[in-house]
Tab-separated table of all heavy atoms in Angstrom:
chain	number	residue	atom	x	y	z
A	9	VAL	N	11.230	-14.777	-7.416
A	9	VAL	CA	11.183	-14.176	-6.085
A	9	VAL	C	11.178	-12.656	-6.189
A	9	VAL	O	10.453	-11.969	-5.469
A	9	VAL	CB	12.352	-14.684	-5.216
A	9	VAL	CG1	12.478	-13.896	-3.927
A	9	VAL	CG2	12.174	-16.161	-4.913
A	10	GLY	N	11.964	-12.113	-7.097
A	10	GLY	CA	11.975	-10.665	-7.311
A	10	GLY	C	10.629	-10.153	-7.796
A	10	GLY	O	10.161	-9.100	-7.357
A	11	GLY	N	10.000	-10.901	-8.677
A	11	GLY	CA	8.678	-10.514	-9.153
A	11	GLY	C	7.637	-10.543	-8.045
A	11	GLY	O	6.802	-9.638	-7.943
A	12	LEU	N	7.687	-11.563	-7.215
A	12	LEU	CA	6.756	-11.639	-6.086
A	12	LEU	C	6.992	-10.496	-5.108
A	12	LEU	O	6.042	-9.915	-4.570
A	12	LEU	CB	6.907	-12.980	-5.368
A	12	LEU	CG	6.364	-14.189	-6.109
A	12	LEU	CD1	6.708	-15.475	-5.358
A	12	LEU	CD2	4.869	-14.088	-6.303
A	13	PHE	N	8.251	-10.167	-4.876
A	13	PHE	CA	8.573	-9.054	-3.983
A	13	PHE	C	8.037	-7.739	-4.546
A	13	PHE	O	7.451	-6.936	-3.818
A	13	PHE	CB	10.081	-8.953	-3.780
A	13	PHE	CG	10.493	-7.767	-2.971
A	13	PHE	CD1	10.275	-7.735	-1.602
A	13	PHE	CD2	11.091	-6.680	-3.578
A	13	PHE	CE1	10.646	-6.639	-0.854
A	13	PHE	CE2	11.468	-5.580	-2.841
A	13	PHE	CZ	11.255	-5.558	-1.469
A	14	ALA	N	8.215	-7.515	-5.834
A	14	ALA	CA	7.721	-6.287	-6.459
A	14	ALA	C	6.196	-6.218	-6.379
A	14	ALA	O	5.630	-5.156	-6.098
A	14	ALA	CB	8.184	-6.220	-7.912
A	15	TYR	N	5.517	-7.334	-6.594
A	15	TYR	CA	4.058	-7.379	-6.504
A	15	TYR	C	3.592	-7.069	-5.085
A	15	TYR	O	2.669	-6.290	-4.877
A	15	TYR	CB	3.563	-8.760	-6.946
A	15	TYR	CG	2.078	-8.955	-6.778
A	15	TYR	CD1	1.181	-8.320	-7.620
A	15	TYR	CD2	1.575	-9.774	-5.773
A	15	TYR	CE1	-0.192	-8.488	-7.463
A	15	TYR	CE2	0.214	-9.949	-5.609
A	15	TYR	CZ	-0.663	-9.308	-6.452
A	15	TYR	OH	-2.011	-9.483	-6.285
A	16	LYS	N	4.249	-7.672	-4.104
A	16	LYS	CA	3.880	-7.442	-2.703
A	16	LYS	C	4.132	-5.980	-2.321
A	16	LYS	O	3.329	-5.360	-1.614
A	16	LYS	CB	4.693	-8.380	-1.807
A	16	LYS	CG	4.307	-8.353	-0.378
A	16	LYS	CD	2.963	-9.001	-0.175
A	16	LYS	CE	2.684	-9.157	1.300
A	16	LYS	NZ	1.381	-9.696	1.565
A	17	LEU	N	5.224	-5.422	-2.779
A	17	LEU	CA	5.538	-4.018	-2.507
A	17	LEU	C	4.487	-3.103	-3.129
A	17	LEU	O	4.025	-2.146	-2.502
A	17	LEU	CB	6.923	-3.674	-3.038
A	17	LEU	CG	7.422	-2.259	-2.801
A	17	LEU	CD1	7.567	-2.004	-1.296
A	17	LEU	CD2	8.755	-2.046	-3.493
A	18	TYR	N	4.076	-3.394	-4.354
A	18	TYR	CA	3.048	-2.602	-5.035
A	18	TYR	C	1.735	-2.646	-4.252
A	18	TYR	O	1.090	-1.622	-4.049
A	18	TYR	CB	2.841	-3.128	-6.456
A	18	TYR	CG	1.665	-2.507	-7.158
A	18	TYR	CD1	1.738	-1.213	-7.662
A	18	TYR	CD2	0.467	-3.195	-7.285
A	18	TYR	CE1	0.644	-0.627	-8.292
A	18	TYR	CE2	-0.624	-2.629	-7.907
A	18	TYR	CZ	-0.532	-1.346	-8.408
A	18	TYR	OH	-1.614	-0.779	-9.020
A	19	ARG	N	1.343	-3.839	-3.800
A	19	ARG	CA	0.093	-3.961	-3.036
A	19	ARG	C	0.171	-3.217	-1.714
A	19	ARG	O	-0.786	-2.584	-1.289
A	19	ARG	CB	-0.225	-5.430	-2.791
A	19	ARG	CG	-0.690	-6.108	-4.054
A	19	ARG	CD	-1.305	-7.426	-3.776
A	19	ARG	NE	-2.296	-7.297	-2.699
A	19	ARG	CZ	-3.121	-8.243	-2.351
A	19	ARG	NH1	-3.104	-9.379	-2.991
A	19	ARG	NH2	-3.980	-8.078	-1.371
A	20	THR	N	1.326	-3.271	-1.055
A	20	THR	CA	1.488	-2.581	0.224
A	20	THR	C	1.419	-1.076	0.037
A	20	THR	O	0.762	-0.371	0.807
A	20	THR	CB	2.836	-2.968	0.864
A	20	THR	OG1	2.869	-4.392	1.023
A	20	THR	CG2	3.027	-2.310	2.205
A	21	LEU	N	2.084	-0.567	-0.983
A	21	LEU	CA	2.043	0.871	-1.249
A	21	LEU	C	0.643	1.324	-1.637
A	21	LEU	O	0.200	2.404	-1.232
A	21	LEU	CB	3.040	1.233	-2.347
A	21	LEU	CG	4.511	1.159	-1.957
A	21	LEU	CD1	5.390	1.419	-3.168
A	21	LEU	CD2	4.828	2.132	-0.847
A	22	SER	N	-0.055	0.508	-2.382
A	22	SER	CA	-1.424	0.843	-2.762
A	22	SER	C	-2.324	0.920	-1.536
A	22	SER	O	-3.118	1.862	-1.398
A	22	SER	CB	-1.947	-0.205	-3.744
A	22	SER	OG	-3.287	0.052	-4.072
A	23	ALA	N	-2.190	-0.041	-0.650
A	23	ALA	CA	-3.001	-0.028	0.574
A	23	ALA	C	-2.650	1.168	1.452
A	23	ALA	O	-3.527	1.785	2.059
A	23	ALA	CB	-2.793	-1.332	1.348
A	24	ALA	N	-1.381	1.507	1.514
A	24	ALA	CA	-0.962	2.651	2.333
A	24	ALA	C	-1.515	3.957	1.757
A	24	ALA	O	-1.938	4.845	2.514
A	24	ALA	CB	0.556	2.708	2.403
A	25	GLN	N	-1.522	4.084	0.452
A	25	GLN	CA	-2.063	5.297	-0.161
A	25	GLN	C	-3.568	5.404	0.069
A	25	GLN	O	-4.096	6.498	0.257
A	25	GLN	CB	-1.755	5.323	-1.650
A	25	GLN	CG	-0.309	5.637	-1.950
A	25	GLN	CD	-0.015	5.606	-3.437
A	25	GLN	OE1	-0.796	5.088	-4.228
A	25	GLN	NE2	1.119	6.161	-3.818
A	26	LYS	N	-4.267	4.280	0.056
A	26	LYS	CA	-5.705	4.306	0.305
A	26	LYS	C	-6.003	4.657	1.759
A	26	LYS	O	-7.017	5.290	2.057
A	26	LYS	CB	-6.328	2.958	-0.034
A	26	LYS	CG	-6.388	2.688	-1.522
A	26	LYS	CD	-6.957	1.314	-1.800
A	26	LYS	CE	-6.926	1.005	-3.289
A	26	LYS	NZ	-7.381	-0.364	-3.570
A	27	ALA	N	-5.147	4.237	2.677
A	27	ALA	CA	-5.387	4.463	4.112
A	27	ALA	C	-4.897	5.831	4.581
A	27	ALA	O	-5.253	6.257	5.685
A	27	ALA	CB	-4.696	3.380	4.920
A	28	LEU	N	-4.103	6.511	3.792
A	28	LEU	CA	-3.512	7.782	4.221
A	28	LEU	C	-4.543	8.831	4.624
A	28	LEU	O	-4.392	9.448	5.685
A	28	LEU	CB	-2.578	8.325	3.132
A	28	LEU	CG	-1.797	9.574	3.478
A	28	LEU	CD1	-0.881	9.319	4.673
A	28	LEU	CD2	-0.991	10.046	2.285
A	29	PRO	N	-5.600	9.100	3.857
A	29	PRO	CA	-6.574	10.108	4.282
A	29	PRO	C	-7.219	9.782	5.633
A	29	PRO	O	-7.413	10.672	6.469
A	29	PRO	CB	-7.620	10.114	3.168
A	29	PRO	CG	-6.942	9.561	1.982
A	29	PRO	CD	-5.926	8.596	2.516
A	30	LYS	N	-7.524	8.505	5.867
A	30	LYS	CA	-8.114	8.114	7.148
A	30	LYS	C	-7.121	8.325	8.283
A	30	LYS	O	-7.504	8.757	9.372
A	30	LYS	CB	-8.550	6.659	7.104
A	30	LYS	CG	-9.726	6.411	6.191
A	30	LYS	CD	-10.106	4.950	6.178
A	30	LYS	CE	-11.242	4.705	5.200
A	30	LYS	NZ	-11.594	3.294	5.121
A	31	MET	N	-5.866	8.008	8.032
A	31	MET	CA	-4.841	8.179	9.068
A	31	MET	C	-4.639	9.658	9.392
A	31	MET	O	-4.468	10.032	10.558
A	31	MET	CB	-3.525	7.541	8.614
A	31	MET	CG	-3.589	6.043	8.444
A	31	MET	SD	-3.886	5.180	9.985
A	31	MET	CE	-2.311	5.399	10.766
A	32	GLU	N	-4.650	10.507	8.366
A	32	GLU	CA	-4.503	11.944	8.604
A	32	GLU	C	-5.684	12.480	9.419
A	32	GLU	O	-5.503	13.265	10.353
A	32	GLU	CB	-4.392	12.694	7.278
A	32	GLU	CG	-3.073	12.486	6.577
A	32	GLU	CD	-3.028	13.134	5.206
A	32	GLU	OE1	-4.106	13.434	4.637
A	32	GLU	OE2	-1.915	13.332	4.702
A	33	ARG	N	-6.896	12.041	9.083
A	33	ARG	CA	-8.087	12.474	9.823
A	33	ARG	C	-8.027	11.980	11.278
A	33	ARG	O	-8.351	12.728	12.208
A	33	ARG	CB	-9.347	11.950	9.128
A	33	ARG	CG	-10.625	12.341	9.808
A	33	ARG	CD	-10.881	13.835	9.726
A	33	ARG	NE	-12.100	14.143	10.446
A	33	ARG	CZ	-12.279	15.202	11.200
A	33	ARG	NH1	-11.328	16.095	11.304
A	33	ARG	NH2	-13.410	15.394	11.829
A	34	ALA	N	-7.597	10.758	11.485
A	34	ALA	CA	-7.471	10.218	12.838
A	34	ALA	C	-6.430	10.991	13.633
A	34	ALA	O	-6.627	11.264	14.825
A	34	ALA	CB	-7.108	8.740	12.781
């Protein structure tokens, strides 16, 4: 469960970093 949580957290942070420039422009 801890491993799955860490994986999900990594994916969420990765998606947030990719979306940040678009959010700043918006």
Side-chain angles (χ1 to χ4, degrees):
V9 170
L12 288 174
F13 175 73
Y15 175 73
K16 186 71 171 176
L17 182 64
Y18 172 76
R19 287 194 49 171
T20 302
L21 289 175
S22 177
Q25 286 178 345
K26 288 177 184 176
L28 185 61
K30 291 179 183 178
M31 295 295 288
E32 288 175 341
R33 180 67 182 141

